[in-house]
Amino acid sequence: MNQINNREAKKFILSNDNILLLDVRTEEEFNEGHIEGAVLIPADKLPFRYEEILDYEDKPILVYCQTGGRSPMATNFLEENGFSDIYHMYEGFARWK
């Protein structure tokens, strides 16, 4: 897993056409605002729904939550299940703007 801050994440998103932006917050948090193009799979649902993103097993995935607390668990789960190009936005969406 690669740790990146929000500034690095913005550059990374712009330079990668085939990136998955994975928001692991709650549906309520997501509806209040999210990174454009992000896919919502709440962290507690990821073990049951990760098949939805198997196309990204070898492609870049940027994982984020609200403050950086839930996303490490999600990135660890993805790594344990064969995903290989994972980036953790450790500052979280709260500091996105």
Side-chain angles (χ1 to χ4, degrees):
M1 166 184 34
N2 302 289
Q3 300 278 352
I4 60 176
N5 64 34
N6 289 9
R7 184 177 313 138
E8 293 166 331
K10 288 177 183 181
K11 291 178 186 174
F12 186 68
I13 292 167
L14 292 173
S15 66
N16 284 279
D17 291 337
N18 201 16
I19 186 173
L20 172 64
L21 305 173
L22 182 59
D23 188 322
V24 296
R25 300 176 301 153
T26 65
E27 187 173 346
E28 293 79 18
E29 289 170 314
F30 184 84
N31 289 338
E32 290 174 6
H34 56 271
I35 299 173
E36 185 177 337
V39 170
L40 173 66
I41 302 180
D44 62 339
K45 305 281 193 267
L46 190 58
F48 311 103
R49 294 183 52 196
Y50 76 96
E51 298 90 4
E52 296 173 26
I53 59 171
L54 282 177
D55 288 348
Y56 286 88
E57 200 169 29
D58 297 320
K59 297 174 186 160
I61 301 174
L62 176 69
V63 181
Y64 72 93
C65 64
Q66 189 67 18
T67 59
R70 290 167 279 185
S71 45
M73 293 180 290
T75 56
N76 289 337
F77 174 83
L78 292 172
E79 285 181 333
E80 291 167 2
N81 285 278
F83 291 82
S84 61
D85 198 9
I86 303 168
Y87 297 81
H88 173 231
M89 191 174 85
Y90 63 84
E91 292 178 315
F93 186 73
R95 297 192 60 201
W96 179 250
K97 311 227 183 234

